[in-house]
């Protein structure tokens, strides 16, 4: 029989009456992610999801690697299905795990009998398979506490399944189950990590990027699009809304006190992002802000920045230190692109002495002479939409 992919669900199994909606969303996400690897049958039984190739043309290994980045999957393993018979199970274990059994020095067998009609108990089945494997592979020793290799046997509704240690999945919740948000994506380290973190909580994303040509280069824009591409294996298809931001920044430079420039600029980013969110049906904004990291990320500055929008602002990285953010960036594959030396709009017209604790009153005074609605409308009307696929 062909190999299948056995998926373990994480916190989804704790859901109540709405659990089915989570499972349906996960299955839909899996189907979309696996389209390029062939036709698979995906179904859920007894808190496990099965991914079975429909024919021999399927790229099972490619599908397996892709599923490691699908949110909602806590663990996954390649498994060999076989008849629910002790000798068939033993034969499947010897054939499917032969290389691993020869390479390991210690092992154990763990059996799980979800189908209670199977004539042996879990302990009896573990002892039988373990004893036969120990005899067949003379170099193997049994270690029930810290084995190099664990042979898993699962007796389920339709078949028995043999597999080795499961690999960790992406965890979290299926993308889209918690609605849609707009994430402000710069070219730095923090915003791709924040986007990944909020997608892990089941949120589908649109991206907005503020582009200030000629102060920022076309290479800086391409860097951001590459960051979005690197996020698509986790987040699925992404639309990047590239906002022309030069006119806004030039106007603010002429009109605003230098020490308040960054705060006023970020307020415009929020206003524009909320308009983009309204157009794509998003219910929240996401930023990579980290408390105290830069002048615009003090509590006072974030309060003044967020005052201009009615949507909630999600800041998943707000309590992390830089090293924690960098570690995630390396793990998800965005770090090397994030550190490429291309400037973004936040480095344009940076004040020498930014105000650390601005008040709402002084910032609103700085904005009094501005045509806020007109500036926001012009920026939104000039948005370029770029769709990025995995």
């Amino acid at each position: 029989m062909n190999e299948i992919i056995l998926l373990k669900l994480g916190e989804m199994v704790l859901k109540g009456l709405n659990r089915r909606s989570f499972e349906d969303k996960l299955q839909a996400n899996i189907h979309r992610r696996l389209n390029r690897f062939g036709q698979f049958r995906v179904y859920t039984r007894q808190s496990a999801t099965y991914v079975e190739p429909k024919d021999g043309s399927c790229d099972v290994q490619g599908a397996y690697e892709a599923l490691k980045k699908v949110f909602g999957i806590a663990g996954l393993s390649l498994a060999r299905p076989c008849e629910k018979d002790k000798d068939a199970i033993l034969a499947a274990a010897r054939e499917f795990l032969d290389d691993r059994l020869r390479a390991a020095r210690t092992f154990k067998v763990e059996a799980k009998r979800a189908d209670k009609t199977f004539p042996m108990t879990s302990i009896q089945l573990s002892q039988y398979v373990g004893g036969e494997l120990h005899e067949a592979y003379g170099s193997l020793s049994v270690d029930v506490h810290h084995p190099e290799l664990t042979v898993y046997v699962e007796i389920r509704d339709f078949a028995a399944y043999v597999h080795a240690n499961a690999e960790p999945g992406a965890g979290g919740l299926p993308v889209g189950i918690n609605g849609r948000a707009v994430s402000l994506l710069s070219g730095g380290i923090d915003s791709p990590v924040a986007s990944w973190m909020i997608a892990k909580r089941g949120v589908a994303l649109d991206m907005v990027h503020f582009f200030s040509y000629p102060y920022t280069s076309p290479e800086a824009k391409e860097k951001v699009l590459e960051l979005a591409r690197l996020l698509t294996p986790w987040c699925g298809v992404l639309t990047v809304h590239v906002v022309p931001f030069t006119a806004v920044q030039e106007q603010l430079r002429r009109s605003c006190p230098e020490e308040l420039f960054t705060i006023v600029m970020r307020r415009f980013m929020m206003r524009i992002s909320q308009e983009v969110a309204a157009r794509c049906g998003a219910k929240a904004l996401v930023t990579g802000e980290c408390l105290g990291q830069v002048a615009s990320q003090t509590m006072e500055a974030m309060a003044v920045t967020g005052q201009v929008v009615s949507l909630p602002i999600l800041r998943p990285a707000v309590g992390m230190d830089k090293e924690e953010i960098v570690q995630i960036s390396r793990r998800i594959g965005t770090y090397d692109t994030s550190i490429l030396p291309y400037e973004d709009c936040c480095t344009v017209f940076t004040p020498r002495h930014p105000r650390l604790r601005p008040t709402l009153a002084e910032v609103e005074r700085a904005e009094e002479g501005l045509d806020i609605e007109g500036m926001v409308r012009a920026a939104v009307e000039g948005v370029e939409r770029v769709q990025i696929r995995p």
Side-chain angles (χ1 to χ4, degrees), residues 273-331:
S273 298
Q274 180 164 263
E275 290 299 314
V276 172
R279 295 188 175 199
C280 63
K283 304 302 182 185
L285 304 179
V286 182
T287 76
E289 291 168 298
C290 179
L291 187 62
Q293 184 169 252
V294 294
S296 63
Q297 294 175 17
T298 62
M299 282 193 286
E300 293 87 348
M302 287 193 286
V304 171
T305 299
Q307 185 270 342
V308 297
V309 296
S310 58
L311 291 178
I313 301 172
L314 308 179
R315 299 179 172 98
V318 71
M320 303 173 70
D321 65 36
K322 194 66 177 184
E323 183 55 35
E324 291 172 319
I325 296 171
V326 167
Q327 286 176 4
I328 295 176
S329 179
R330 291 183 186 278
R331 180 158 66 90

Side-chain angles (χ1 to χ4, degrees), residues 177-304:
I177 197 67
N178 278 327
R180 180 170 295 275
V182 164
S183 184
L184 282 67
L185 185 65
S186 71
I189 296 172
D190 301 346
S191 59
V193 170
S195 300
W196 179 87
M197 291 175 71
I198 210 67
K200 186 175 182 178
R201 298 312 305 156
V203 178
L205 294 175
D206 275 59
M207 303 297 193
V208 62
H209 174 65
F210 295 90
F211 183 51
S212 296
Y213 183 81
Y215 301 107
T216 56
S217 65
E219 289 81 7
K221 174 183 170 183
E222 290 304 315
K223 171 186 172 181
V224 170
L225 296 180
E226 174 64 11
L227 286 172
R229 187 191 67 78
L230 292 171
L231 287 171
T232 57
W234 308 92
C235 303
V237 176
L238 293 173
T239 298
V240 182
H241 304 259
V242 182
V243 177
F245 204 51
T246 307
V248 172
Q249 288 191 294
E250 289 179 338
Q251 181 62 42
L252 297 184
R253 187 188 190 192
R254 290 192 295 267
S255 306
C256 292
E258 181 189 9
E259 67 273 14
L260 295 177
F261 173 85
T262 301
I263 294 297
V264 176
M265 178 189 71
R266 290 191 65 81
R267 280 163 64 92
F268 271 87
M269 287 180 170
M270 291 297 176
R271 292 179 176 115
I272 293 166
S273 298
Q274 180 164 263
E275 290 299 314
V276 172
R279 295 188 175 199
C280 63
K283 304 302 182 185
L285 304 179
V286 182
T287 76
E289 291 168 298
C290 179
L291 187 62
Q293 184 169 252
V294 294
S296 63
Q297 294 175 17
T298 62
M299 282 193 286
E300 293 87 348
M302 287 193 286
V304 171

Side-chain angles (χ1 to χ4, degrees), residues 353-365:
H353 303 291
R355 186 68 55 84
L356 295 179
R357 292 176 174 81
T359 66
L360 180 59
E362 68 178 336
V363 173
E364 287 180 337
R365 282 196 300 271

